[in-house]
Amino acid sequence: MFGWVLFAAELRRWTRQGRRPQFWWRDDDARAPTPALARLIACAAPDAIPLALAVLPEGPDATLAVFLKTQPLIGVLLHGVDHLSGGPPGQPSQFSRLAPVAEVAARLRRGRAQLAAFDRRLPVYVPPWNDLQPN
């Protein structure tokens, strides 16, 4: 609850400064059309709010790409490369701090290629656990 209080206070500061924030909705761990995804789309539809769908590349159901062809306001983001932790115990992260840059880049390219069936792929990487380890 405390986070929402801070968030509301920040929005009030922006309003006083004449600023208007822009928000986007993101749904993580997408693999298939689900009732939860349908509910999210239904919430966004009346106001034509664009959505970002963070799709796991290691096996999305083929029906997801077909379904999303009918959803022009949904962009697809790469959500990890295999959703397995390469970080130290207790600190999940997609890549180890020791992983060579070339290896990380190759894994990211492979992950993006696995999403080729999606029409509206955006060049955005969404790390699992929302964590990128610094080198």
Side-chain angles (χ1 to χ4, degrees):
M1 185 63 159
F2 185 67
W4 287 111
V5 171
L6 293 174
F7 179 69
E10 183 66 22
L11 287 179
R12 284 191 297 277
R13 279 190 291 277
W14 279 55
T15 301
R16 284 192 301 273
Q17 294 173 8
R19 297 168 64 199
R20 185 174 177 207
Q22 293 185 13
F23 298 99
W24 62 315
W25 285 358
R26 184 184 96 205
D27 184 26
D28 282 0
D29 297 345
R31 291 185 182 192
T34 63
L37 178 57
R39 188 170 56 248
L40 177 65
I41 292 168
C43 288
D47 295 308
I49 297 171
L51 300 172
L53 193 61
V55 176
L56 296 165
E58 79 278 359
D61 186 304
T63 61
L64 182 60
V66 172
F67 172 73
L68 291 180
K69 287 181 187 300
T70 67
Q71 303 298 323
L73 293 178
I74 298 180
V76 171
L77 315 179
L78 174 62
H79 187 41
V81 293
D82 56 20
H83 220 268
L84 299 173
S85 179
Q91 294 179 333
S93 180
Q94 183 70 90
F95 303 105
S96 164
R97 290 178 182 207
L98 305 176
V101 171
E103 176 188 316
V104 171
R107 291 177 67 199
L108 289 170
R109 280 192 299 276
R110 259 193 319 277
R112 183 149 168 81
Q114 288 174 282
L115 299 181
F118 294 92
D119 291 341
R120 285 174 298 285
R121 289 180 300 152
L122 301 175
V124 177
Y125 174 71
V126 179
W129 310 286
N130 297 313
D131 187 44
L132 289 172
Q133 294 293 328
N135 285 329

